[in-house]
Amino acid sequence: MGYEVHITRRQHWLDEDGPAIGLNEWLKVVHSDPEMHYEGPTKEEALAAGNSTISPEEPGLAVWRAYSKHGPDAVALFCHYEDHVTATNPDEEILRKVWKLAHRLKAKVQGDDGEIYGADGKVMSDAEAIAAGLSIQRKPWWKFW
């Protein structure tokens, strides 16, 4: 585990209520982006394999193949989980891609501690986030329990 950023539509990515990003919506974005590669099973693949449900092994997992450091030791992974999409330990290049994906999903990029990231891959000030119409909730993840 590491530090994560989340593509979310909720005020805080850990909120239980609010607009979600559905798996099918995420997969539509992944399949329409030539830089992305889908890595998880589809419902049809799961059914063909005799499973009545999608495999629990990351059905929304995708890889950004255009990442400049892409290779055996560096992969930019994106994982859909329940209501949002997560990237772990992103550098600024990955953060810029996360923002582009979030923009296509009409969502924001929020770090584990509630900070908002902009198109340049850097944390936005509260004033910048508010001016962009983004909700802010800087509550560390451990305060939700």
Side-chain angles (χ1 to χ4, degrees), residues 3 5 64 67-69 74 76 87-98 117 120-122:
Y3 195 77
V5 295
W64 179 35
Y67 179 46
S68 69
K69 298 173 186 145
T88 304
N89 295 327
D91 59 19
E92 280 189 16
E93 181 183 4
I94 294 171
L95 285 166
R96 289 189 298 270
K97 181 63 174 182
V98 174
Y117 288 85
D120 61 359
K122 299 184 186 302

Side-chain angles (χ1 to χ4, degrees), residues 60-75:
L61 188 65
V63 175
W64 179 35
R65 288 194 171 168
Y67 179 46
S68 69
K69 298 173 186 145
H70 182 79
D73 298 324
V75 179

Side-chain angles (χ1 to χ4, degrees), residues 35-97:
E35 295 182 344
M36 298 294 289
H37 178 74
Y38 173 64
E39 293 287 328
T42 64
K43 185 174 184 179
E44 291 77 20
E45 290 167 336
L47 290 171
N51 298 326
S52 60
T53 60
I54 294 177
S55 168
E57 287 127 11
E58 311 302 343
L61 188 65
V63 175
W64 179 35
R65 288 194 171 168
Y67 179 46
S68 69
K69 298 173 186 145
H70 182 79
D73 298 324
V75 179
L77 291 174
F78 296 83
C79 183
H80 180 274
Y81 181 74
E82 293 181 1
D83 57 14
H84 65 277
V85 177
T86 300
T88 304
N89 295 327
D91 59 19
E92 280 189 16
E93 181 183 4
I94 294 171
L95 285 166
R96 289 189 298 270
K97 181 63 174 182

Side-chain angles (χ1 to χ4, degrees), residues 12 110 113-116 123-126 136-140:
H12 192 283
Q110 188 174 48
D113 294 334
E115 73 281 13
I116 307 294
V123 174
M124 297 173 81
S125 70
D126 288 353
I136 301 169
Q137 188 180 54
R138 293 194 188 273
K139 189 174 187 180

Side-chain angles (χ1 to χ4, degrees), residues 24-46:
N24 288 337
E25 187 178 10
W26 165 242
L27 294 178
K28 185 176 180 181
V29 168
V30 169
H31 290 304
S32 68
D33 187 330
E35 295 182 344
M36 298 294 289
H37 178 74
Y38 173 64
E39 293 287 328
T42 64
K43 185 174 184 179
E44 291 77 20
E45 290 167 336

Side-chain angles (χ1 to χ4, degrees), residues 90-109:
D91 59 19
E92 280 189 16
E93 181 183 4
I94 294 171
L95 285 166
R96 289 189 298 270
K97 181 63 174 182
V98 174
W99 186 89
K100 288 177 183 176
L101 293 167
H103 185 72
R104 290 183 60 198
L105 288 163
K106 295 179 176 53
K108 65 183 174 188
V109 180

